Amino acid sequence: MSAAHLPKVAGIDSPVPAPAHTSSPLLGRLSPPGEPGAHPGTPVPGVRLTADQDQLTSWISDLTALHELTERLAGTATLKDALREVLCAGGALVGARRGVAALAPGDGLGPATVVGLGLGPAELGVLETVPLPAAPEEAPAEEIHTDLCREPGIGPRHREVSLRLGFGASYALRLSAGAAGRLGSALWFYDGPAEPAERQRHLAGLYCRHAAEHLALLLELDRGRTTVAALRDELLPARLPRVPGVRLAVRHLPAAGGGGDWYDALPLPEGALGLSVGGVSGGGTSAVAAMGRLRTSLRAYAVMEGEDPVAVLSDLELLLRLTEPARSATALFAYAEPASRKIAVAGAGHCPPLVVGERRVEYVETSLSAPLGMLSCWEAPSVELRALPGETLLLYTDGLLHRTGDPVDRAFARLHAAAASAPAPVRDDPAQLVEHVLHALRPDDRREPHPTEDVVLLAARFD
C-alpha cells in the first residue's frame, strides 16, 4: 500500500456505527443537546433539532456497543480468556483484525501472560524479539504509529518484524487499574498505514479502563488460587507408597478456590496398610490448613491403633471438637492386611467404598454415622471384608458424586455402573480403572474451568 497520501482512518468491521454528523460524538466530552456550546454557529431551530437528534442517536449507539462489549468481558473467568476478549473488543472498536495483549503486573509478582488475536505461536514468538522502546513504568498510556514502514523513529528490528508480519500501522493502550497499578498493555495492528479516529480511540480508552479493573480482580483471584494450590500440594502426599501385595493409584481434582478433601496411604507395622479419604467443611486456605492438620493427626492415630479403625476415627473426632469447634468433617479409614487381603473399614458420614472385581461390583455397607464434630461423642462399628485376588477397593469423596449433577441415589448408581463397565484389562490396572471411572462420570468436566468441589478417587488393588 502506498504511503504517498495521508494515512487513512481505520475502520475494519467496526460494530460501532459512524455518527451522522461531521463532529465526533465523544462520550463525556460533548455538551448535552440544548446546552450552550453544543453546536457552534447561529442556531437554526429545525437544523439544530435534527443535529441534536443525530448526536443523541450516536451517543446511544456508542453506549450500547460499550455495554455489550463489557457484558461479554464480565463473562470471562480466567486471565487468558479476559485478555482475548479485550483484544477482540478493542479490535472491533478501533478497526483492527490482529493484535497482542501482554499481562506483566508492575509489582513483578506475575503471572506473565501473552495472548494474540489473529496471530499464531510463531508470529507471537517473532514479536517477542522486538525490544521495548521504554520501561514498563515509562510507557505512554497511548501510542500510535500510523506507518510502521516509513515513520521516523521506528527501530530497525521493529521495522523488520513489521514488514515480515505485514503490519502497516499499530495502536497501543496501557492497561492500568487503581491500586493494582500497571497490569500490561494491548496492541492492535493494521494491514496498511492507518490511524484510528478520535471517536474510536475514545471508545477504546473507555473500554480498556473498565477492562483493566476486571483484569485486576481476575489477577487477585488467580494469585489466591495459586497460593492455595501450593499449600494443598505441600499438605497432601507427593507420591503413594509401595506396599507388597497392593497396587495403588489416586486422582485428585481440586476445587478452584481450595477445598478441604484429603487422601492418604500409610504403610503400617507388620506389612499392613492404612487408607483414608475425607474432607473438612468450608473452603479456601483455612479449609486447606484444617485438612492438613486432620490428615497429619489421623496418620499418628493410625500408627498407634490402626488395626482398630473405630478408635482411629474416635480420636480424630475428639481432636476436631477440641481444636476446630466450628468445623465438621467426614472421614473413612481402612486398615488392610495385604498378605491375607483382610480389610477393616470405618466411616464417619462418608460415602461407602466400592469393591470392584471380576465376580462382583458392590458397595461396602458401612454403618450410618454422623460426620465428625456433629455429635458430642462419635462412635460407629467397623465393617470387615476379605478381598479376592485381583479385586480393587475404591475410596472416594462426595465431590465425585456431586460433580455428576445427579441426585445422590442416581449418582451412586452411575458410579456402580461405571466401575462394572470397566473391561478386564482396565480392572487389572488401578490407574486405568480410576481414569475409566472419572471419564464415565464426568465426560464434560473440562467445560467447568473453576469447579467448586474437590474430587478424590483412591484405588487399592489386591494381588
Side-chain angles (χ1 to χ4, degrees), residues 70-102:
T70 53
E71 283 290 307
R72 283 168 46 184
L73 178 65
T76 58
T78 66
L79 286 171
K80 284 192 174 183
D81 288 344
L83 288 173
R84 291 190 186 97
E85 183 59 36
V86 168
L87 283 178
C88 291
L93 290 172
V94 301
R97 66 183 184 89
R98 290 187 289 178
V100 61

PDB file of all heavy atoms in Angstrom, residues 70-102:
ATOM      1  N   THR A  70     -18.676  -4.836  27.337  1.00  0.00           N
ATOM      2  CA  THR A  70     -18.329  -5.033  28.745  1.00  0.00           C
ATOM      3  C   THR A  70     -19.093  -6.202  29.357  1.00  0.00           C
ATOM      4  O   THR A  70     -18.575  -6.879  30.254  1.00  0.00           O
ATOM      5  CB  THR A  70     -18.599  -3.748  29.561  1.00  0.00           C
ATOM      6  OG1 THR A  70     -19.956  -3.319  29.344  1.00  0.00           O
ATOM      7  CG2 THR A  70     -17.649  -2.641  29.137  1.00  0.00           C
ATOM      8  N   GLU A  71     -20.319  -6.449  28.882  1.00  0.00           N
ATOM      9  CA  GLU A  71     -21.062  -7.613  29.354  1.00  0.00           C
ATOM     10  C   GLU A  71     -20.343  -8.902  28.948  1.00  0.00           C
ATOM     11  O   GLU A  71     -20.265  -9.854  29.726  1.00  0.00           O
ATOM     12  CB  GLU A  71     -22.485  -7.600  28.778  1.00  0.00           C
ATOM     13  CG  GLU A  71     -23.425  -6.625  29.459  1.00  0.00           C
ATOM     14  CD  GLU A  71     -23.771  -7.060  30.862  1.00  0.00           C
ATOM     15  OE1 GLU A  71     -24.207  -8.209  31.041  1.00  0.00           O
ATOM     16  OE2 GLU A  71     -23.574  -6.252  31.792  1.00  0.00           O
ATOM     17  N   ARG A  72     -19.845  -8.941  27.737  1.00  0.00           N
ATOM     18  CA  ARG A  72     -19.090 -10.109  27.296  1.00  0.00           C
ATOM     19  C   ARG A  72     -17.820 -10.280  28.116  1.00  0.00           C
ATOM     20  O   ARG A  72     -17.443 -11.396  28.478  1.00  0.00           O
ATOM     21  CB  ARG A  72     -18.749  -9.981  25.816  1.00  0.00           C
ATOM     22  CG  ARG A  72     -19.932 -10.282  24.894  1.00  0.00           C
ATOM     23  CD  ARG A  72     -19.655  -9.875  23.463  1.00  0.00           C
ATOM     24  NE  ARG A  72     -18.356 -10.282  22.980  1.00  0.00           N
ATOM     25  CZ  ARG A  72     -17.863  -9.963  21.787  1.00  0.00           C
ATOM     26  NH1 ARG A  72     -18.589  -9.214  20.965  1.00  0.00           N
ATOM     27  NH2 ARG A  72     -16.675 -10.392  21.414  1.00  0.00           N
ATOM     28  N   LEU A  73     -17.161  -9.182  28.430  1.00  0.00           N
ATOM     29  CA  LEU A  73     -15.945  -9.252  29.241  1.00  0.00           C
ATOM     30  C   LEU A  73     -16.250  -9.773  30.639  1.00  0.00           C
ATOM     31  O   LEU A  73     -15.485 -10.561  31.201  1.00  0.00           O
ATOM     32  CB  LEU A  73     -15.296  -7.870  29.317  1.00  0.00           C
ATOM     33  CG  LEU A  73     -14.040  -7.768  30.183  1.00  0.00           C
ATOM     34  CD1 LEU A  73     -12.911  -8.600  29.581  1.00  0.00           C
ATOM     35  CD2 LEU A  73     -13.607  -6.319  30.342  1.00  0.00           C
ATOM     36  N   ALA A  74     -17.365  -9.343  31.206  1.00  0.00           N
ATOM     37  CA  ALA A  74     -17.730  -9.780  32.559  1.00  0.00           C
ATOM     38  C   ALA A  74     -17.961 -11.277  32.626  1.00  0.00           C
ATOM     39  O   ALA A  74     -17.861 -11.876  33.705  1.00  0.00           O
ATOM     40  CB  ALA A  74     -18.974  -9.041  33.034  1.00  0.00           C
ATOM     41  N   GLY A  75     -18.253 -11.913  31.507  1.00  0.00           N
ATOM     42  CA  GLY A  75     -18.488 -13.351  31.491  1.00  0.00           C
ATOM     43  C   GLY A  75     -17.217 -14.179  31.482  1.00  0.00           C
ATOM     44  O   GLY A  75     -17.287 -15.403  31.578  1.00  0.00           O
ATOM     45  N   THR A  76     -16.049 -13.550  31.372  1.00  0.00           N
ATOM     46  CA  THR A  76     -14.787 -14.292  31.368  1.00  0.00           C
ATOM     47  C   THR A  76     -14.357 -14.582  32.796  1.00  0.00           C
ATOM     48  O   THR A  76     -14.557 -13.773  33.693  1.00  0.00           O
ATOM     49  CB  THR A  76     -13.687 -13.507  30.643  1.00  0.00           C
ATOM     50  OG1 THR A  76     -13.509 -12.234  31.281  1.00  0.00           O
ATOM     51  CG2 THR A  76     -14.069 -13.280  29.193  1.00  0.00           C
ATOM     52  N   ALA A  77     -13.738 -15.756  33.003  1.00  0.00           N
ATOM     53  CA  ALA A  77     -13.360 -16.174  34.358  1.00  0.00           C
ATOM     54  C   ALA A  77     -11.870 -16.433  34.513  1.00  0.00           C
ATOM     55  O   ALA A  77     -11.413 -16.701  35.610  1.00  0.00           O
ATOM     56  CB  ALA A  77     -14.134 -17.438  34.740  1.00  0.00           C
ATOM     57  N   THR A  78     -11.107 -16.355  33.430  1.00  0.00           N
ATOM     58  CA  THR A  78      -9.661 -16.549  33.522  1.00  0.00           C
ATOM     59  C   THR A  78      -8.954 -15.369  32.881  1.00  0.00           C
ATOM     60  O   THR A  78      -9.524 -14.648  32.053  1.00  0.00           O
ATOM     61  CB  THR A  78      -9.222 -17.848  32.824  1.00  0.00           C
ATOM     62  OG1 THR A  78      -9.462 -17.729  31.409  1.00  0.00           O
ATOM     63  CG2 THR A  78     -10.002 -19.043  33.357  1.00  0.00           C
ATOM     64  N   LEU A  79      -7.698 -15.191  33.253  1.00  0.00           N
ATOM     65  CA  LEU A  79      -6.932 -14.071  32.710  1.00  0.00           C
ATOM     66  C   LEU A  79      -6.764 -14.193  31.194  1.00  0.00           C
ATOM     67  O   LEU A  79      -6.896 -13.203  30.471  1.00  0.00           O
ATOM     68  CB  LEU A  79      -5.562 -14.012  33.384  1.00  0.00           C
ATOM     69  CG  LEU A  79      -5.542 -13.489  34.821  1.00  0.00           C
ATOM     70  CD1 LEU A  79      -4.159 -13.684  35.440  1.00  0.00           C
ATOM     71  CD2 LEU A  79      -5.928 -12.014  34.863  1.00  0.00           C
ATOM     72  N   LYS A  80      -6.490 -15.386  30.702  1.00  0.00           N
ATOM     73  CA  LYS A  80      -6.307 -15.545  29.259  1.00  0.00           C
ATOM     74  C   LYS A  80      -7.592 -15.269  28.499  1.00  0.00           C
ATOM     75  O   LYS A  80      -7.566 -14.597  27.456  1.00  0.00           O
ATOM     76  CB  LYS A  80      -5.791 -16.954  28.950  1.00  0.00           C
ATOM     77  CG  LYS A  80      -4.316 -17.154  29.260  1.00  0.00           C
ATOM     78  CD  LYS A  80      -3.808 -18.455  28.678  1.00  0.00           C
ATOM     79  CE  LYS A  80      -2.304 -18.575  28.868  1.00  0.00           C
ATOM     80  NZ  LYS A  80      -1.756 -19.810  28.258  1.00  0.00           N
ATOM     81  N   ASP A  81      -8.704 -15.764  29.011  1.00  0.00           N
ATOM     82  CA  ASP A  81      -9.977 -15.504  28.333  1.00  0.00           C
ATOM     83  C   ASP A  81     -10.294 -14.012  28.341  1.00  0.00           C
ATOM     84  O   ASP A  81     -10.808 -13.468  27.351  1.00  0.00           O
ATOM     85  CB  ASP A  81     -11.104 -16.275  29.018  1.00  0.00           C
ATOM     86  CG  ASP A  81     -11.031 -17.769  28.749  1.00  0.00           C
ATOM     87  OD1 ASP A  81     -10.317 -18.163  27.810  1.00  0.00           O
ATOM     88  OD2 ASP A  81     -11.677 -18.535  29.490  1.00  0.00           O
ATOM     89  N   ALA A  82     -10.015 -13.348  29.458  1.00  0.00           N
ATOM     90  CA  ALA A  82     -10.280 -11.910  29.540  1.00  0.00           C
ATOM     91  C   ALA A  82      -9.397 -11.129  28.574  1.00  0.00           C
ATOM     92  O   ALA A  82      -9.862 -10.202  27.901  1.00  0.00           O
ATOM     93  CB  ALA A  82     -10.070 -11.424  30.968  1.00  0.00           C
ATOM     94  N   LEU A  83      -8.128 -11.492  28.473  1.00  0.00           N
ATOM     95  CA  LEU A  83      -7.235 -10.803  27.545  1.00  0.00           C
ATOM     96  C   LEU A  83      -7.666 -11.019  26.095  1.00  0.00           C
ATOM     97  O   LEU A  83      -7.599 -10.099  25.270  1.00  0.00           O
ATOM     98  CB  LEU A  83      -5.797 -11.283  27.745  1.00  0.00           C
ATOM     99  CG  LEU A  83      -5.101 -10.808  29.027  1.00  0.00           C
ATOM    100  CD1 LEU A  83      -3.752 -11.492  29.173  1.00  0.00           C
ATOM    101  CD2 LEU A  83      -4.924  -9.291  29.019  1.00  0.00           C
ATOM    102  N   ARG A  84      -8.101 -12.224  25.776  1.00  0.00           N
ATOM    103  CA  ARG A  84      -8.592 -12.480  24.413  1.00  0.00           C
ATOM    104  C   ARG A  84      -9.820 -11.623  24.119  1.00  0.00           C
ATOM    105  O   ARG A  84      -9.966 -11.080  23.020  1.00  0.00           O
ATOM    106  CB  ARG A  84      -8.925 -13.958  24.236  1.00  0.00           C
ATOM    107  CG  ARG A  84      -7.729 -14.885  24.245  1.00  0.00           C
ATOM    108  CD  ARG A  84      -8.123 -16.289  23.826  1.00  0.00           C
ATOM    109  NE  ARG A  84      -7.008 -17.220  23.960  1.00  0.00           N
ATOM    110  CZ  ARG A  84      -6.819 -18.021  25.003  1.00  0.00           C
ATOM    111  NH1 ARG A  84      -7.696 -18.012  25.994  1.00  0.00           N
ATOM    112  NH2 ARG A  84      -5.778 -18.826  25.050  1.00  0.00           N
ATOM    113  N   GLU A  85     -10.708 -11.503  25.098  1.00  0.00           N
ATOM    114  CA  GLU A  85     -11.902 -10.691  24.901  1.00  0.00           C
ATOM    115  C   GLU A  85     -11.536  -9.219  24.739  1.00  0.00           C
ATOM    116  O   GLU A  85     -12.139  -8.508  23.934  1.00  0.00           O
ATOM    117  CB  GLU A  85     -12.856 -10.878  26.085  1.00  0.00           C
ATOM    118  CG  GLU A  85     -14.163 -10.127  25.954  1.00  0.00           C
ATOM    119  CD  GLU A  85     -14.958 -10.520  24.727  1.00  0.00           C
ATOM    120  OE1 GLU A  85     -14.942 -11.721  24.357  1.00  0.00           O
ATOM    121  OE2 GLU A  85     -15.591  -9.636  24.122  1.00  0.00           O
ATOM    122  N   VAL A  86     -10.553  -8.753  25.494  1.00  0.00           N
ATOM    123  CA  VAL A  86     -10.098  -7.361  25.350  1.00  0.00           C
ATOM    124  C   VAL A  86      -9.567  -7.117  23.947  1.00  0.00           C
ATOM    125  O   VAL A  86      -9.861  -6.090  23.324  1.00  0.00           O
ATOM    126  CB  VAL A  86      -9.013  -7.048  26.404  1.00  0.00           C
ATOM    127  CG1 VAL A  86      -8.326  -5.712  26.092  1.00  0.00           C
ATOM    128  CG2 VAL A  86      -9.623  -6.996  27.797  1.00  0.00           C
ATOM    129  N   LEU A  87      -8.799  -8.061  23.434  1.00  0.00           N
ATOM    130  CA  LEU A  87      -8.266  -7.898  22.084  1.00  0.00           C
ATOM    131  C   LEU A  87      -9.378  -7.889  21.041  1.00  0.00           C
ATOM    132  O   LEU A  87      -9.371  -7.058  20.124  1.00  0.00           O
ATOM    133  CB  LEU A  87      -7.284  -9.033  21.774  1.00  0.00           C
ATOM    134  CG  LEU A  87      -5.890  -8.922  22.391  1.00  0.00           C
ATOM    135  CD1 LEU A  87      -5.063 -10.135  22.023  1.00  0.00           C
ATOM    136  CD2 LEU A  87      -5.186  -7.656  21.924  1.00  0.00           C
ATOM    137  N   CYS A  88     -10.334  -8.800  21.167  1.00  0.00           N
ATOM    138  CA  CYS A  88     -11.428  -8.855  20.187  1.00  0.00           C
ATOM    139  C   CYS A  88     -12.274  -7.586  20.232  1.00  0.00           C
ATOM    140  O   CYS A  88     -12.595  -7.002  19.191  1.00  0.00           O
ATOM    141  CB  CYS A  88     -12.300 -10.065  20.458  1.00  0.00           C
ATOM    142  SG  CYS A  88     -11.497 -11.654  20.109  1.00  0.00           S
ATOM    143  N   ALA A  89     -12.639  -7.162  21.445  1.00  0.00           N
ATOM    144  CA  ALA A  89     -13.474  -5.968  21.579  1.00  0.00           C
ATOM    145  C   ALA A  89     -12.722  -4.721  21.134  1.00  0.00           C
ATOM    146  O   ALA A  89     -13.264  -3.880  20.403  1.00  0.00           O
ATOM    147  CB  ALA A  89     -13.942  -5.821  23.026  1.00  0.00           C
ATOM    148  N   GLY A  90     -11.469  -4.600  21.562  1.00  0.00           N
ATOM    149  CA  GLY A  90     -10.683  -3.441  21.147  1.00  0.00           C
ATOM    150  C   GLY A  90     -10.461  -3.406  19.655  1.00  0.00           C
ATOM    151  O   GLY A  90     -10.503  -2.340  19.029  1.00  0.00           O
ATOM    152  N   GLY A  91     -10.220  -4.588  19.057  1.00  0.00           N
ATOM    153  CA  GLY A  91     -10.043  -4.621  17.616  1.00  0.00           C
ATOM    154  C   GLY A  91     -11.284  -4.183  16.874  1.00  0.00           C
ATOM    155  O   GLY A  91     -11.211  -3.504  15.844  1.00  0.00           O
ATOM    156  N   ALA A  92     -12.466  -4.551  17.405  1.00  0.00           N
ATOM    157  CA  ALA A  92     -13.713  -4.106  16.783  1.00  0.00           C
ATOM    158  C   ALA A  92     -13.893  -2.602  16.927  1.00  0.00           C
ATOM    159  O   ALA A  92     -14.392  -1.935  16.021  1.00  0.00           O
ATOM    160  CB  ALA A  92     -14.892  -4.838  17.413  1.00  0.00           C
ATOM    161  N   LEU A  93     -13.486  -2.047  18.057  1.00  0.00           N
ATOM    162  CA  LEU A  93     -13.663  -0.607  18.288  1.00  0.00           C
ATOM    163  C   LEU A  93     -12.719   0.245  17.446  1.00  0.00           C
ATOM    164  O   LEU A  93     -13.102   1.307  16.967  1.00  0.00           O
ATOM    165  CB  LEU A  93     -13.458  -0.291  19.777  1.00  0.00           C
ATOM    166  CG  LEU A  93     -14.552  -0.803  20.732  1.00  0.00           C
ATOM    167  CD1 LEU A  93     -14.127  -0.589  22.180  1.00  0.00           C
ATOM    168  CD2 LEU A  93     -15.873  -0.092  20.451  1.00  0.00           C
ATOM    169  N   VAL A  94     -11.470  -0.199  17.286  1.00  0.00           N
ATOM    170  CA  VAL A  94     -10.505   0.615  16.542  1.00  0.00           C
ATOM    171  C   VAL A  94     -10.333   0.131  15.106  1.00  0.00           C
ATOM    172  O   VAL A  94      -9.575   0.734  14.342  1.00  0.00           O
ATOM    173  CB  VAL A  94      -9.137   0.633  17.256  1.00  0.00           C
ATOM    174  CG1 VAL A  94      -9.282   1.180  18.657  1.00  0.00           C
ATOM    175  CG2 VAL A  94      -8.500  -0.746  17.271  1.00  0.00           C
ATOM    176  N   GLY A  95     -11.016  -0.950  14.724  1.00  0.00           N
ATOM    177  CA  GLY A  95     -10.968  -1.397  13.340  1.00  0.00           C
ATOM    178  C   GLY A  95      -9.716  -2.149  12.973  1.00  0.00           C
ATOM    179  O   GLY A  95      -9.149  -1.918  11.907  1.00  0.00           O
ATOM    180  N   ALA A  96      -9.253  -3.052  13.850  1.00  0.00           N
ATOM    181  CA  ALA A  96      -8.062  -3.853  13.567  1.00  0.00           C
ATOM    182  C   ALA A  96      -8.412  -5.321  13.718  1.00  0.00           C
ATOM    183  O   ALA A  96      -9.202  -5.692  14.586  1.00  0.00           O
ATOM    184  CB  ALA A  96      -6.922  -3.474  14.509  1.00  0.00           C
ATOM    185  N   ARG A  97      -7.809  -6.161  12.901  1.00  0.00           N
ATOM    186  CA  ARG A  97      -8.120  -7.588  12.950  1.00  0.00           C
ATOM    187  C   ARG A  97      -7.024  -8.416  13.600  1.00  0.00           C
ATOM    188  O   ARG A  97      -7.190  -9.615  13.796  1.00  0.00           O
ATOM    189  CB  ARG A  97      -8.369  -8.122  11.536  1.00  0.00           C
ATOM    190  CG  ARG A  97      -7.173  -8.105  10.615  1.00  0.00           C
ATOM    191  CD  ARG A  97      -7.519  -8.592   9.218  1.00  0.00           C
ATOM    192  NE  ARG A  97      -6.344  -8.659   8.351  1.00  0.00           N
ATOM    193  CZ  ARG A  97      -5.564  -9.737   8.250  1.00  0.00           C
ATOM    194  NH1 ARG A  97      -5.832 -10.804   8.970  1.00  0.00           N
ATOM    195  NH2 ARG A  97      -4.519  -9.727   7.439  1.00  0.00           N
ATOM    196  N   ARG A  98      -5.895  -7.799  13.927  1.00  0.00           N
ATOM    197  CA  ARG A  98      -4.815  -8.521  14.607  1.00  0.00           C
ATOM    198  C   ARG A  98      -4.338  -7.710  15.803  1.00  0.00           C
ATOM    199  O   ARG A  98      -4.440  -6.479  15.825  1.00  0.00           O
ATOM    200  CB  ARG A  98      -3.651  -8.801  13.647  1.00  0.00           C
ATOM    201  CG  ARG A  98      -3.980  -9.817  12.582  1.00  0.00           C
ATOM    202  CD  ARG A  98      -2.749 -10.181  11.756  1.00  0.00           C
ATOM    203  NE  ARG A  98      -2.315  -9.088  10.878  1.00  0.00           N
ATOM    204  CZ  ARG A  98      -1.248  -9.159  10.088  1.00  0.00           C
ATOM    205  NH1 ARG A  98      -0.509 -10.270  10.077  1.00  0.00           N
ATOM    206  NH2 ARG A  98      -0.929  -8.142   9.312  1.00  0.00           N
ATOM    207  N   GLY A  99      -3.812  -8.433  16.795  1.00  0.00           N
ATOM    208  CA  GLY A  99      -3.321  -7.730  17.968  1.00  0.00           C
ATOM    209  C   GLY A  99      -2.665  -8.678  18.948  1.00  0.00           C
ATOM    210  O   GLY A  99      -2.673  -9.902  18.793  1.00  0.00           O
ATOM    211  N   VAL A 100      -2.090  -8.112  19.989  1.00  0.00           N
ATOM    212  CA  VAL A 100      -1.444  -8.881  21.035  1.00  0.00           C
ATOM    213  C   VAL A 100      -1.635  -8.149  22.353  1.00  0.00           C
ATOM    214  O   VAL A 100      -1.587  -6.917  22.413  1.00  0.00           O
ATOM    215  CB  VAL A 100       0.061  -9.096  20.740  1.00  0.00           C
ATOM    216  CG1 VAL A 100       0.800  -7.771  20.658  1.00  0.00           C
ATOM    217  CG2 VAL A 100       0.700  -9.991  21.792  1.00  0.00           C
ATOM    218  N   ALA A 101      -1.915  -8.905  23.419  1.00  0.00           N
ATOM    219  CA  ALA A 101      -2.067  -8.342  24.757  1.00  0.00           C
ATOM    220  C   ALA A 101      -1.084  -9.043  25.682  1.00  0.00           C
ATOM    221  O   ALA A 101      -0.957 -10.274  25.657  1.00  0.00           O
ATOM    222  CB  ALA A 101      -3.497  -8.513  25.276  1.00  0.00           C
ATOM    223  N   ALA A 102      -0.390  -8.268  26.474  1.00  0.00           N
ATOM    224  CA  ALA A 102       0.606  -8.806  27.391  1.00  0.00           C
ATOM    225  C   ALA A 102       0.259  -8.391  28.803  1.00  0.00           C
ATOM    226  O   ALA A 102       0.039  -7.202  29.076  1.00  0.00           O
ATOM    227  CB  ALA A 102       2.001  -8.306  27.015  1.00  0.00           C
TER     228      ALA A 102
END
